Amino acid sequence: MALLLGGGASGQARAEFTESDFFDDLPVVLTPSRLSQPLTDSPSAVTVIDRDMIRASGFTQVADVFRLVPGFSVAYSSSLLPTATYHGLGDGYARRFQVLIDGRSVYSPDFGQVSWRNLPLALDDIERIEVIRGPAGASYGANAFMGVINILTRSGDYGAPFVEAALGDHGQRLLNARVGGGARAFNWRLSAGTQLDDGLRHDMPDDVRERFADWKSELQLDARQALTLQAGVAHTRQETDFTPYNQHHGYANLGWKFTQSADSEFSAAYNLTEESFGDKPGIDLDYRTTRHNASAQWQGSVGSALRASLGAEYRRDSAQSDFYYSTPDTITEDSWRVYGNGEWTLDPQWLVNFGGMAERTHTGDKQFSPRLTLNYKPSRNQSFRLEYNRAYRAPTFYELLAQNYYLDEGGAPDPTDDIVYQTLLADNLKSEQVTSRVLGWLLQLPKQGLQVDARLFYDRYENLIDVAFVSDGDGNDYIYQFINQSEAVTLKGVEFQIEWRPARSTRIYLTPSWARIHSHDSSIEDSAPPFSFSLLLDHIIGAHWRTSAGYYHSGAMTWLGGGSRVPASDRLDARLAYQTRVNGKAVEFWLTGQSLLGGQTEFKQFQEAERRFLAGGRVDW
């Protein structure tokens, strides 16, 4: 703390914030209602993680960034598969979030997971990440069950071309680069990179190698119209003592935006995403998925007191796996949705946010997700939010259609084979449902450089999807089927997001969270840590040095779906950087240390992340 808050900063950096400086820096969020709104007008609690926070954290994996979000738990079920959850119910697939990159959904239709280590995404290309903490079905439909993670990449100004390289222990290697150019009407950038490491532990074979390339370009057709074209590929390989695993991700996205007036805009987009997983030689666990998605949206003002966003979306998801679905055929399902969100200003102090989404999911079910929020702003420095939400999570393809078995010996099952486990087709599986009630409070103290965001929540979950194990009478107890739980589960708690900037050179970010789950299932009750927090300290020292540290605490909890109960953990990361200019080019050398307190247990017992160091440099021109 003495180093971070000490006297290395210049007198100008020590200058106090003016009220104008403070309010000008407050983010305008886009995700909650699909409208541009200040935080005081948002219908949901939102965490905004900007580029400075990502760099200060020292993280090299995007999944780790969510450790900065109040109430989030992040772990690695394997070196290849990071997972995250918000206040419990977490397993190895994190399938209760809607995850978007520039509006493109990247959760997989087969298991509902996000392959965080296999995305065509460079951390340096991220402009900011907006995380809706809580259900957001009215804006994003099925799978916006616990929240929405919206990753927004740089637009227009892509940042300077750069090259970055790093080496570390545990086999860590990193190489990233970006080039770009263009003129007034056309801009483009191409990013590519590779990253290697030895996985979670040095004494077990779980090495991972990632490679990606990503393109983004924007063409201004005229004063009102613009086109955006994005495309990318990623490939990840994990070595194990059993068989190597290979993941592939490819996508293309075309967007069109038409600005009708200063307060009215129409947009449309089409994207295609393909993913595959293979493990040959070995058990044939291969699967492939494809998603076609087309959407259109209008947003603008209706009179002087009402702003609205209206939209529609069509999606076709398909999956193919001989093993998981016991058929060589491709499973294809269609879904559609229409939605509307409104912001109605009653007077300068009172604001109503309302919205809803009607959709037909790939299960064939029709459902409606409503939201109603009342915002009260007694002053410019303070606002209160009373929120009601209902959202759903549709079953994944695997939960709905899985029919697979694993044998001691290969081939089709017959009386001489020993079935190790078997999945039975689900019977009348329903969507999960959550009803959420929230009281929020936002306080801004410009002279102190302080912002406090508090959220008091009570959520009720119904029809949670679980696994029921049955016996075949011959001693095989590993036959299972996905079912809906008959009893409801409730979640209640409070969380804070506190940001303090005592000077321009210093930023302190704290996120304490308390949560409690009530369920007849003790594992579900224990799936949320009773207390957790993150603390990020970032300080600029003089003209060249920048130092930061992150501390992450989680109470004891149980990871579901193949995980186990893990003890309370504490993680300390630190970063030191030296910045200068050489021949007009910006140069940075940096050193990061992760898990400096020693290995903390990740997804299950005896699976620990070990202390590691990484040193690197980059040149921008």
Side-chain angles (χ1 to χ4, degrees):
M1 287 290 290
L3 175 64
L4 289 169
L5 304 180
S10 66
Q12 181 180 1
R14 289 175 174 274
E16 290 186 356
F17 284 100
T18 66
E19 184 165 320
S20 176
D21 289 334
F22 186 85
F23 283 109
D24 287 346
D25 285 342
L26 290 179
V28 172
V29 294
L30 307 172
T31 307
S33 64
R34 296 180 180 257
L35 292 167
S36 175
Q37 296 173 302
L39 283 175
T40 52
D41 295 348
S42 171
S44 305
V46 185
T47 295
V48 180
I49 302 173
D50 57 34
R51 289 203 311 269
D52 276 347
M53 291 177 67
I54 294 174
R55 180 170 291 190
S57 72
F59 294 135
T60 58
Q61 294 294 330
V62 65
D64 284 323
V65 173
F66 305 121
R67 299 180 191 272
L68 296 168
V69 182
F72 264 61
S73 299
V74 178
Y76 285 71
S77 58
S78 75
S79 59
L80 181 64
L81 297 173
T83 186
T85 189
Y86 180 56
H87 294 312
L89 301 179
D91 56 26
Y93 294 100
R95 50 179 164 258
R96 293 184 171 95
F97 293 105
Q98 175 63 273
V99 181
L100 308 167
I101 301 178
D102 290 330
R104 177 178 67 94
S105 175
V106 294
Y107 83 86
S108 181
D110 51 2
F111 301 106
Q113 83 282 13
V114 176
S115 300
W116 292 109
R117 296 200 66 169
N118 194 50
L119 296 175
L121 178 68
L123 285 177
D124 198 79
D125 287 334
I126 296 175
E127 178 67 29
R128 67 185 185 279
I129 301 174
E130 296 183 2
V131 181
I132 300 178
R133 308 194 315 270
S139 294
Y140 296 95
N143 289 81
F145 188 75
M146 285 183 162
V148 175
I149 296 172
N150 191 10
I151 300 173
L152 303 168
T153 63
R154 296 186 184 191
S155 183
D157 177 14
Y158 294 131
F162 80 96
V163 174
E164 178 180 41
L167 296 173
D169 58 356
H170 295 278
Q172 295 181 92
R173 304 290 187 273
L174 182 149
L175 179 62
N176 290 316
R178 178 177 63 224
V179 294
R184 293 181 59 185
F186 179 73
N187 291 282
W188 64 273
R189 63 111 172 117
L190 175 64
S191 302
T194 183
Q195 188 168 343
L196 299 84
D197 61 68
D198 287 347
L200 293 177
R201 294 172 55 179
H202 68 276
D203 59 348
M204 60 183 295
D206 59 349
D207 303 11
V208 176
R209 178 175 181 177
E210 309 168 49
R211 292 173 291 175
F212 81 92
D214 190 52
W215 165 279
K216 185 174 183 179
S217 59
E218 295 170 297
L219 174 63
Q220 194 72 37
L221 299 175
D222 55 38
R224 293 187 174 188
Q225 298 184 82
L227 286 177
T228 301
L229 175 63
Q230 296 173 262
V233 293
H235 181 82
T236 305
R237 180 180 178 88
Q238 180 191 28
E239 300 289 343
T240 72
D241 57 359
F242 178 62
T243 183
Y245 295 119
N246 293 281
Q247 285 186 317
H248 179 78
H249 181 115
Y251 85 96
N253 183 72
L254 177 64
W256 172 64
K257 185 179 292 184
F258 175 68
T259 303
Q260 297 173 297
S261 64
D263 58 359
S264 180
E265 180 181 278
F266 180 81
S267 60
Y270 166 79
N271 61 70
L272 168 65
T273 302
E274 294 185 340
E275 290 185 298
S276 64
F277 175 92
D279 71 331
K280 293 179 179 178
I283 301 172
D284 184 6
L285 302 179
D286 293 13
Y287 63 78
R288 288 164 291 279
T289 65
T290 303
R291 168 171 291 154
H292 296 267
N293 198 98
S295 62
Q297 177 179 289
W298 172 86
Q299 58 179 351
S301 299
V302 183
S304 60
L306 178 63
R307 294 199 306 147
S309 64
L310 305 172
E313 186 175 342
Y314 167 78
R315 176 178 297 172
R316 168 163 285 190
D317 286 329
S318 61
Q320 192 282 321
S321 173
D322 292 354
F323 176 78
Y324 291 111
Y325 305 111
S326 293
T327 176
D329 298 335
T330 298
I331 301 168
T332 300
E333 302 287 350
D334 298 325
S335 60
W336 57 261
R337 58 188 60 174
V338 293
Y339 60 86
N341 292 275
E343 177 196 270
W344 182 22
T345 303
L346 302 179
D347 63 36
Q349 290 185 321
W350 292 92
L351 182 76
V352 176
N353 280 282
F354 58 92
M357 176 172 289
E359 59 186 329
R360 179 189 180 277
T361 70
H362 65 265
T363 66
D365 295 332
K366 296 179 181 179
Q367 52 202 33
F368 179 73
S369 302
R371 176 182 60 216
L372 180 63
T373 304
L374 179 64
N375 296 69
Y376 172 57
K377 299 179 288 185
S379 68
R380 191 185 185 195
N381 293 52
Q382 190 170 200
S383 66
F384 296 88
R385 183 183 69 255
L386 187 62
E387 179 184 346
Y388 172 86
N389 260 301
R390 189 171 72 237
Y392 298 88
R393 183 184 77 85
T396 65
F397 278 12
Y398 185 68
E399 290 170 330
L400 193 68
L401 302 170
Q403 296 185 81
N404 65 302
Y405 51 83
Y406 171 53
L407 310 175
D408 278 346
E409 301 178 10
D414 61 54
T416 64
D417 288 323
D418 293 324
I419 296 178
V420 177
Y421 72 78
Q422 182 175 3
T423 310
L424 302 179
L425 186 66
D427 182 22
N428 194 30
L429 200 61
K430 301 177 182 177
S431 294
E432 297 181 342
Q433 177 180 312
V434 59
T435 303
S436 179
R437 300 165 181 85
V438 175
L439 176 61
W441 175 55
L442 181 66
L443 175 68
Q444 302 156 353
L445 300 177
K447 292 184 178 180
Q448 291 77 25
L450 180 67
Q451 178 177 311
V452 180
D453 183 348
R455 181 175 183 264
L456 180 67
F457 52 90
Y458 179 86
D459 297 343
R460 178 182 173 86
Y461 301 111
E462 298 177 81
N463 297 327
L464 287 179
I465 297 175
D466 200 356
V467 172
F469 288 90
V470 298
S471 176
D472 63 358
D474 294 327
N476 180 7
D477 296 325
Y478 293 97
I479 300 176
Y480 64 91
Q481 185 178 41
F482 289 102
I483 62 168
N484 292 110
Q485 287 192 359
S486 58
E487 296 188 26
V489 173
T490 60
L491 166 70
K492 59 183 178 181
V494 62
E495 63 190 18
F496 295 86
Q497 184 173 279
I498 303 167
E499 184 173 355
W500 181 35
R501 300 189 183 189
R504 294 182 184 274
S505 61
T506 305
R507 187 177 190 178
I508 303 173
Y509 181 76
L510 175 66
T511 63
S513 175
W514 294 262
R516 178 66 185 273
I517 295 179
H518 293 276
S519 170
H520 71 285
D521 187 324
S522 60
S523 295
I524 289 178
E525 279 198 332
D526 197 46
S527 66
F531 174 65
S532 63
F533 75 87
S534 62
L535 173 63
L536 181 65
L537 309 175
D538 185 20
H539 184 56
I540 298 172
I541 305 173
H544 299 289
W545 291 92
R546 181 173 182 176
T547 182
S548 54
Y551 191 90
Y552 311 95
H553 170 81
S554 175
M557 62 174 290
T558 295
W559 285 97
L560 307 174
S564 69
R565 193 172 201 276
V566 296
S569 65
D570 294 276
R571 170 172 169 159
L572 175 63
D573 297 352
R575 184 178 190 269
L576 179 65
Y578 176 79
Q579 301 168 330
T580 188
R581 298 193 72 85
V582 178
N583 296 327
K585 298 179 175 62
V587 178
E588 180 184 56
F589 300 99
W590 50 267
L591 171 67
T592 63
Q594 295 183 342
S595 300
L596 296 177
L597 301 178
Q600 73 278 351
T601 303
E602 287 284 339
F603 187 68
K604 52 189 174 184
Q605 293 181 2
F606 312 115
Q607 183 169 288
E608 295 183 350
E610 298 178 322
R611 183 186 298 111
R612 58 187 61 201
F613 296 91
L614 185 67
R618 63 179 281 161
V619 179
D620 295 66
W621 65 89

